[in-house]
Amino acid sequence: MKKLFFLAVLFSSSSVEAVSDDVFEYQQVAANAIMLAIILAINLLFFFSLLTIAGFLSRKKVLL
């Protein structure tokens, strides 16, 4: 009976470790995805601000 209990504990702890490894890997992927989304949003804001500034400058030149 002790052998069965030991095997059950052995297998259950390895499955917990496997799940925790999967969760850790998912957290890394999620953190990378969030960082990529933040970088892309900053780049889009910068690009559209440049377009807006260029539009204002070109409109001023036409009026002058």
Side-chain angles (χ1 to χ4, degrees):
M1 193 65 175
K2 280 188 175 182
K3 281 186 176 182
L4 290 177
F5 179 72
F6 177 73
L7 287 176
V9 169
L10 181 66
F11 285 123
S12 66
S13 66
S14 65
S15 64
V16 168
E17 287 176 9
V19 168
S20 66
D21 287 343
D22 289 341
V23 168
F24 180 69
E25 186 175 334
Y26 174 74
Q27 286 175 343
Q28 285 180 332
V29 170
N32 289 339
I34 290 170
M35 186 63 67
L36 179 64
I38 290 170
I39 290 171
L40 287 174
I42 291 170
N43 283 329
L44 282 173
L45 286 172
F46 180 71
F47 177 72
F48 284 120
S49 66
L50 286 178
L51 282 177
T52 305
I53 292 169
F56 284 138
L57 290 177
S58 67
R59 191 181 295 181
K60 273 189 172 184
K61 285 185 180 179
V62 170
L63 292 176
L64 293 175

